[in-house]
Every structure is written in C-alpha cells, then in structure tokens.
Amino acid sequence: MASARRATLCVRDAEAADRNWIAELLAEQWGSTLIVSRGRRHRAERLPAFVALDAGARAGLLTYRIAGGEFEVVTLNATPPGRGAGSALLGAARRTAARAACRRLWLVTTNDNDAAIRFYERRGFSCVAVHEGGVELARRFKPGIPRVGRNGVPIRDELEFELRLGTAPTRQREG
C-alpha cells in the first residue's frame, strides 16, 4: 500500500494558481503568512515553493529561501501528515539546493515539536544549534505565537537543523 501511495505522489514548483491555497494553508497551519525564523521575517506566501500532489490533489507545501549558499526551509506542511508528502517535498528541496550549489539545507523548529524533530532526524538532519529564547524574539514580530505547545510544553527555543550538502561534515560526534 505504501509503494502504491508513493506512486501517486509528485512534487512541482508552485504556480500562480496555487497562491490563494498557499496563503490559506499558511494562515490555517501557522496562524498567518508571516513566519519568523532566527529573527528574520518571511512573507511565506511570497516565497518560492513546492507543492506535493497526491493523485492530483494538493497534499503538501514547502516554502523556501536561498541566500548565501544556503537553502532555508521556511515552512513544511503535509496535509494530511504521514503519507509521504513531507519526505517528497524535502527530496525536491535537497535536489534544488544541490543544483544551486548550496552548502547546506537548514530549517528551524520549536522545542515543543517532537514529531518534527524525529521527522528531520530520520531524514539525516542534525540539530546543530539550540537558540535559547529564540521564540521570544519571534513573538516581537508575531505576538500570536502560543506560549504553550504540544503536550503542554512551553514554547521557548528555536532548534536549528541542517543537512550538509556536497561536503563532508565539519565536525565529528563523540561516542
């Protein structure tokens, strides 16, 4: 069943006809189209994006920014989760980042998002930084960010994940 489902998934660049859907999805999933990561404000509905399609129906969205040889995943949503759209979108991001000669693919999530943490780690990402109190900075620009997240965990910190591209890892882990 999983292989049959994957056969129906495809990813394409967002098109003008997707823009209203993108804005609606971002508002529904993120509270608005304004996304803040590492103190930088993004109008995510205006960013380049990939759309995942499952049997022709929209099943996911990834918005991104390329700058300074780095590919930042600004948002990633699979609707519904668990059907492969998120993985397919990350695959498209990785290919695009490699074509753009990016050194790394990176993103930020919050300390309460244990499902995302596991998702990224299973796909080869490493947590390279914990930005303590990073969410407080984001709240200056986007006050609607909840104080308490999944499973009653206070939302405080930004966790930065990366996947190194085209080069060997710059550090080794002990143990």
Side-chain angles (χ1 to χ4, degrees), residues 19 22-23 26 33-34 42-47 63:
R19 290 298 163 188
I22 289 170
L26 291 169
T33 60
L34 174 66
H42 303 276
R43 297 307 310 193
E45 80 280 14
R46 297 178 188 158
L47 292 174
T63 63

Side-chain angles (χ1 to χ4, degrees), residues 4 16 39-40 54 102 107-108 110 130 134 136 141 154-156 171:
R40 181 180 193 83
D54 188 354
C102 293
L107 58 96
V108 170
T110 53
V130 175
E136 280 307 312
F141 304 117
I155 304 173
R156 293 184 295 252
R171 66 185 198 299

Side-chain angles (χ1 to χ4, degrees), residues 19-155:
R19 290 298 163 188
N20 285 339
W21 173 79
I22 289 170
E24 290 169 8
L25 179 69
L26 291 169
E28 174 188 313
Q29 298 289 314
W30 298 91
S32 82
T33 60
L34 174 66
I35 304 297
V36 182
S37 66
R38 300 295 305 121
R40 181 180 193 83
R41 290 173 283 188
H42 303 276
R43 297 307 310 193
E45 80 280 14
R46 297 178 188 158
L47 292 174
F50 299 118
V51 175
L53 302 171
D54 188 354
R58 293 180 186 117
L61 172 70
L62 183 148
T63 63
Y64 65 93
R65 180 179 82 92
I66 297 176
E70 298 186 345
F71 184 111
E72 178 184 5
V73 174
V74 177
T75 67
L76 175 61
N77 292 93
T79 57
R83 294 192 175 172
S87 296
L89 288 162
L90 277 181
R94 187 175 186 166
R95 289 186 296 278
T96 300
R99 280 194 303 273
C102 293
R103 295 181 307 276
R104 74 178 190 140
L105 175 65
W106 71 281
L107 58 96
V108 170
T109 191
T110 53
N111 62 285
D112 70 309
N113 199 346
D114 56 338
I117 293 165
R118 287 190 310 272
F119 175 81
Y120 295 121
E121 287 181 336
R122 282 192 309 263
R123 282 147 188 88
F125 284 76
S126 297
C127 183
V128 295
V130 175
H131 303 284
E132 294 181 5
V135 178
E136 280 307 312
L137 175 60
R139 283 191 185 102
R140 291 181 194 163
F141 304 117
K142 189 175 174 179
I145 297 172
R147 299 240 169 238
V148 177
R150 294 164 181 87
N151 301 314
V153 175
I155 304 173

